[in-house]
Amino acid sequence: MVRSPPLPPDVIRARRKLPGGRHGPAAAGAGGPGGLPGCPGGPRGGAGGGRGPAAVEAALREAAALFPRRLLGAALPALVLRHQLYGLAGDRTAVDRHLNRLRDEGRVRLLHLGLGGDALGVVSTEEYAQKVLQAVSGSPREGLVRRFLEGAVGACPLPGYDQRLLRQLGFGDADVTQLVAAGVLTVRDAGSWWLAVPGIGRFVRALVRGRRALLGAVRRSRHRELLLAELGQRPPPALGLRYLLLDLLGAELLRSVPTASGPLLRLAEP
């Protein structure tokens, strides 16, 4: 089992003890249509109870609560980065296993954000559908998008789709063009697309700017390291200091070292 070191308490506020492991109404089962390649057939068994799933659920709640809704308005669902959960839950294997289970049960969707590597966003399926429909409400594409949410997103919980699968799900080339224009698909490469949410570009740009600002502050400091207390005295980034620290520590772009003066942030690069 691969474990990630938990984030220091000075960086991440101690979590309240949550009763039970699951929260909120579970979405309908996401079993794929019979015979369609690449569609999971339904909920996975064997994840079991125990502290692993409960810790991941608690981490999801905490990270989602940090999502800067004031900055991004009501257009986007609360978006958590998968690697943020690695630091909060302290166990990459448990996070990946539980997210896969939640995805197959239809409770969350995983989104590629164009950040490189294996960076994935995690969103509630219910809130994702609400925000997508809100974005296209009253437009000529509303009917098509609603059909896509029910016939593709709801039936086949994948981060992306290829042309063959979309055609089997009932979406032709003209439909795909409209779905890209609506912002619910983005081009991956020729003949394949990532699932997306309208307006996600604003979040990604803010995240990239925040990363550069925090990494630059540490890089310019003496010995390329900076006390968290000193960083906290500076104007906060748009996405919030804690949200970005979860991102940078989880992505292993920064490291946190405990000292007598509090956590010391160091660049992970040599």
Side-chain angles (χ1 to χ4, degrees):
M1 184 176 290
V2 182
R3 295 188 179 274
S4 299
L7 300 180
D10 304 70
V11 176
I12 303 301
R13 184 177 54 201
R15 296 192 293 274
R16 297 177 181 176
K17 189 173 182 181
L18 299 174
R22 297 185 181 179
H23 344 286
L36 292 184
C39 288
R44 295 183 182 180
R51 297 179 60 186
V56 179
E57 293 271 3
L60 274 167
R61 280 192 166 187
E62 181 169 349
L66 294 175
F67 184 73
R69 292 184 183 271
R70 287 188 177 181
L71 170 70
L72 300 170
L76 293 176
L79 194 147
V80 173
L81 302 171
R82 182 176 62 174
H83 55 261
Q84 290 177 316
L85 303 177
Y86 292 159
L88 282 171
D91 189 332
R92 294 171 65 101
T93 301
V95 168
D96 290 341
R97 181 185 298 120
H98 195 59
L99 286 182
N100 287 340
R101 180 179 181 179
L102 295 179
R103 178 202 64 193
D104 292 351
E105 291 176 347
R107 291 178 57 191
V108 302
R109 284 295 174 268
L110 305 180
L111 304 177
H112 277 264
L113 304 177
L115 295 171
D118 60 351
L120 292 175
V122 183
V123 295
S124 157
T125 301
E126 182 179 1
E127 192 180 8
Y128 169 82
Q130 290 174 350
K131 298 303 182 183
V132 168
L133 290 174
Q134 176 182 304
V136 299
S137 177
S139 75
R141 303 187 182 102
E142 182 177 357
L144 172 62
V145 170
R146 190 178 296 274
R147 182 163 64 89
F148 178 73
L149 291 174
E150 296 172 355
V153 177
C156 196
L158 297 172
Y161 306 87
D162 60 24
Q163 187 178 52
R164 178 187 174 200
L165 179 56
L166 285 171
R167 285 178 176 173
Q168 288 181 294
L169 291 168
F171 300 92
D173 294 344
D175 294 329
V176 172
T177 299
Q178 292 301 311
L179 291 169
V180 171
V184 295
L185 288 177
T186 58
V187 177
R188 177 184 181 185
D189 51 36
S192 66
W193 298 266
W194 293 122
L195 183 66
V197 59
I200 193 64
R202 184 181 176 191
F203 165 79
V204 173
R205 289 190 293 271
L207 180 70
V208 171
R209 287 195 300 268
R211 279 183 170 188
R212 288 174 179 168
L214 290 188
L215 290 174
V218 177
R219 188 175 289 112
R220 290 189 299 271
S221 61
R222 187 179 182 184
H223 304 306
R224 295 156 68 92
E225 56 188 29
L226 186 66
L227 284 170
L228 175 63
E230 296 180 31
L231 190 61
Q233 294 173 359
R234 305 186 182 195
L239 292 183
L241 180 59
R242 291 179 61 221
Y243 189 91
L244 278 168
L245 282 177
L246 269 179
D247 165 51
L248 293 171
L249 292 167
E252 298 182 343
L253 297 174
L254 280 181
R255 301 189 188 283
S256 178
V257 180
T259 72
S261 301
L264 181 70
L265 302 173
R266 288 178 177 166
L267 292 175
E269 62 192 43

